[in-house]
């Protein structure tokens, strides 16, 4: 694969899985052409900054926290919804860096997580066979044939909503909202009274004291490290027409960057070595992720690493393993050993969500908090045993008070799932469950 020349259109000669069947090719081409004229959502310099931070993660000097919705919902592109999710991510990062002792790289599944791979082209809804919902950038979730028709104008709308999301994220993270002397304000009203919320309040009080002490002894606290948060965006790079349209050549280096997000990942279903996704992403200079599930072949993963990171550049490639709590112990050690033996420099991140999905007796797709925590623990233990670095975690989560995953401090049971089940796709951790995991991870980080 690496022999032929790359261009931002060379992927078109390779089979691209999981692409919608756009009914009107002209309409599709027009939408892609429109996006390709619009400004980039992120800049090459920011992307390089993230890559450097991920290089720190790779050697264990920082920890990666990636999280957000399974599928972003166009109607949830509102300041409160974005702020609530950002708040939880900031809280988790503070917990992990303060209690865990490591800087945390914050990466949202946000501002473009609008396209979903599906296991089948159609699905049965109330006895009717309909095209599958493929994310708001493709079709609508409503169970009618009209709503499910792929509409390329949704890509254009997705671009503008990603842009609006990015804009408010920049405002929140750079404009004082994320300042460390506001840690108390990030605690959600409905979380405050829970044990996790109270544990967080105690930690926030310690941070307050530390900052006050700095002021008392005359240290300047009006510095970006305390007043601003660095925050990056990511999504599954699925719709290659959209990604191509936002791929731009950096004027300072001449390199190509996919400016739809800082980091892009290739999903479990589209990581074929000879496929269009791998072809496209080998040529852009962003940090990349690849999801690895229990059906991988080690040899194939090695070839993927070589194809996507031939120069073995630190921070370039993150392998996001998603084996499930019951399969990680069998799957992760041989993979880690094989890659270590090759001297490959990769960031290891744990997605404890996608291998732990099951259908509850109520019919809701769910995941149990205990399975999620178990997979994370095992992930750390395996990396410690193998002498590699457990670099990060990848969550599906929300700032809303949803009931989508079972367990956690409030012990959500199967019969509670219907109370506030909102997700467009996979079940997410709610704010309380997310904080609880952050405290657990902080303890693991402190252990080494
Ligand atoms: C996802 O992250 O939402 C997803 C579809 O994951 P995977 O590719 O690992 O199944
Ligand atoms: Co998902």
């Amino acid at each position: 694969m690496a022999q032929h020349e790359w261009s931002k259109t060379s992927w078109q000669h390779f089979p691209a899985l999981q692409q919608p069947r756009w009914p009107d090719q002209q309409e599709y081409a027009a939408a892609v052409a429109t996006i390709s004229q619009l400004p980039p959502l992120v800049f090459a310099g920011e992307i390089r900054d993230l890559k450097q931070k991920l290089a720190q993660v790779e050697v264990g000097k920082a920890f990666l926290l990636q999280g957000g919705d399974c599928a972003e919902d166009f109607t949830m592109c509102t300041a409160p919804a974005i702020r609530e999710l950002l708040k939880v991510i900031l809280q988790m990062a503070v917990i992990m860096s303060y209690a865990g002792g490591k800087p945390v790289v914050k990466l949202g599944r946000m501002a473009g997580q609008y396209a979903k791979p599906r296991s089948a082209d159609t699905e049965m809804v109330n006895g009717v066979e309909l095209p599958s919902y493929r994310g708001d950038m493709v079709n609508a979730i409503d169970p009618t044939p009209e709503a499910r028709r792929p509409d390329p104008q949704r890509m254009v709308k997705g671009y503008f909503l990603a842009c609006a999301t990015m804009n408010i994220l920049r405002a929140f993270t750079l404009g004082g909202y994320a300042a460390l002397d506001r840690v108390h304000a990030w605690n959600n009203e409905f979380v405050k009274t829970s044990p996790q919320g109270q544990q967080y309040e105690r930690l926030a009080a310690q941070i307050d004291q530390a900052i006050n002490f700095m002021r008392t002894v005359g240290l300047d606290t009006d510095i970006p490290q305390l007043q601003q948060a660095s925050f990056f965006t990511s999504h599954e790079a699925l719709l290659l027409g959209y990604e191509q349209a936002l791929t731009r050549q950096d004027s300072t280096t001449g390199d190509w960057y996919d400016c739809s997000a800082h980091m892009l990942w290739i999903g479990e279903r589209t990581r074929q070595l000879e496929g269009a996704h791998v072809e496209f992403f080998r040529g852009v200079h962003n940090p990349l992720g690849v999801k690895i599930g229990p059906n991988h072949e080690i040899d194939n993963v090695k070839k993927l690493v070589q194809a996507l990171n031939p120069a073995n550049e630190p921070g370039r490639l993150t392998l996001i393993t998603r084996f499930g709590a019951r399969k990680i112990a069998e799957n992760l050690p041989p993979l880690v050993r094989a890659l270590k033996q090759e001297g490959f420099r990769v960031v290891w991140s744990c997605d404890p969500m996608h291998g732990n999905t099951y259908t509850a007796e109520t019919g809701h797709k769910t995941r149990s908090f205990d399975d999620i925590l178990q997979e994370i623990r095992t992930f750390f233990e395996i990396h410690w045993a193998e002498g590699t670095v457990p670099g990060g975690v990848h969550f599906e989560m929300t700032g809303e008070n949803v009931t989508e995953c079972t367990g956690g401090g409030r012990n959500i049971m199967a019969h509670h799932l219907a109370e506030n089940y909102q997700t467009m796709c996979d079940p997410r951790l709610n704010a309380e469950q997310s904080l609880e995991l952050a405290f657990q991870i902080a303890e693991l980080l402190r252990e080494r």
Side-chain angles (χ1 to χ4, degrees), residues 70 109 116-117 236 265 267-269 291 322 351 354 394 396 426:
C70 178
R109 280 177 68 116
K116 298 306 296 174
E236 175 171 351
W265 78 87
E268 166 75 353
R269 291 165 192 78
K291 294 283 203 92
R322 27 90 84 222
D351 165 358
H354 288 88
H394 183 117
E396 287 184 342
D426 289 338

Side-chain angles (χ1 to χ4, degrees), residues 93-368:
V94 146
I95 293 166
M96 292 182 202
S97 55
Y98 190 80
K102 259 187 206 185
V104 172
V105 180
K106 298 174 281 296
L107 183 56
R109 280 177 68 116
M110 293 175 90
Q113 177 54 23
Y114 289 127
K116 298 306 296 174
R118 299 317 297 258
S119 20
D121 266 346
T122 60
E123 63 186 344
M124 296 298 286
V125 187
N126 308 324
V128 186
E129 190 176 16
L130 291 169
S132 297
Y133 168 65
R134 289 186 172 274
D136 273 8
M137 226 187 224
V138 176
N139 55 9
I141 200 161
D142 312 57
T144 65
E146 304 75 60
R148 293 294 173 89
R149 181 181 184 272
D151 174 3
Q153 275 308 311
R154 285 181 160 271
M155 276 193 296
V156 179
K157 183 166 181 187
Y159 165 86
F160 283 112
L161 294 179
C163 197
T165 305
M166 197 70 225
N167 186 54
I168 197 79
L169 281 173
R170 290 187 193 281
F172 281 142
T173 53
L174 303 178
Y177 190 82
L180 268 178
D181 51 13
R182 290 184 47 97
V183 274
H184 286 287
W186 306 337
N187 213 2
N188 215 307
E189 280 309 315
F190 60 80
V191 172
K192 250 181 196 154
T193 51
S194 71
Q196 293 73 38
Q198 287 170 355
Q199 193 179 0
Y200 176 79
E201 284 294 329
R202 289 193 290 276
L203 182 139
Q206 289 175 19
I207 293 175
D208 273 349
Q209 278 178 11
I211 294 175
N212 280 334
F213 177 71
M214 286 173 71
R215 289 195 183 118
T216 308
V217 299
L219 285 173
D220 186 6
T221 57
D222 199 12
I223 51 174
Q225 289 88 335
L226 293 176
Q227 295 304 322
Q228 302 182 339
S230 70
F231 191 87
F232 300 93
T233 58
S234 66
H235 60 258
E236 175 171 351
L238 189 72
L239 301 181
L240 291 172
Y242 177 80
E243 302 303 337
Q244 178 195 314
L246 284 164
T247 293
R248 311 291 165 87
Q249 195 166 22
D250 173 36
S251 55
T252 59
T253 59
D255 290 337
W256 291 91
Y257 287 90
D258 182 347
C259 298
S260 70
H262 300 108
M263 188 249 214
L264 288 312
W265 78 87
I266 305 177
E268 166 75 353
R269 291 165 192 78
T270 50
R271 58 170 170 77
Q272 299 73 27
L273 204 49
E274 301 293 327
H277 291 81
V278 171
E279 169 60 18
F280 180 74
F281 285 100
R282 78 182 175 90
V284 299
H285 283 67
N286 304 58
L288 300 177
V290 181
K291 294 283 203 92
I292 310 283
N295 297 326
H296 71 280
E297 283 168 20
I298 290 181
D299 239 33
N300 185 266
V301 178
K302 283 193 203 169
K303 288 183 183 144
L304 265 175
V305 174
Q306 264 157 343
L308 293 171
N309 192 15
N312 213 14
E313 184 191 0
R316 158 72 166 174
L317 193 59
T318 298
L319 295 184
I320 308 165
T321 58
R322 27 90 84 222
F323 295 130
R326 274 154 214 87
K327 291 192 176 159
I328 182 171
E330 165 200 340
N331 279 272
L332 187 56
L335 181 64
V336 164
R337 258 170 244 158
L339 266 58
K340 188 182 175 189
Q341 198 165 32
E342 298 288 339
F344 290 151
R345 305 194 64 168
V346 297
V347 170
W348 292 100
S349 176
C350 173
D351 165 358
M353 314 300 293
H354 288 88
N356 291 315
T357 318
Y358 68 96
T359 305
E361 56 265 39
T362 54
H364 295 92
K365 221 200 234 189
T366 189
R367 292 154 173 161
S368 102

Side-chain angles (χ1 to χ4, degrees), residues 46-79:
E46 299 168 342
I47 296 173
R48 283 191 287 269
D49 181 25
L50 174 61
K51 202 187 262 180
Q52 272 170 11
K53 291 192 156 73
L54 290 169
Q56 295 291 298
V57 172
E58 193 236 339
V59 293
K61 292 194 173 146
F63 192 74
L64 170 65
L65 170 62
Q66 187 172 15
D69 294 311
C70 178
E72 280 179 291
D73 175 343
F74 278 2
T75 66
M76 294 297 277
C77 182
T78 66

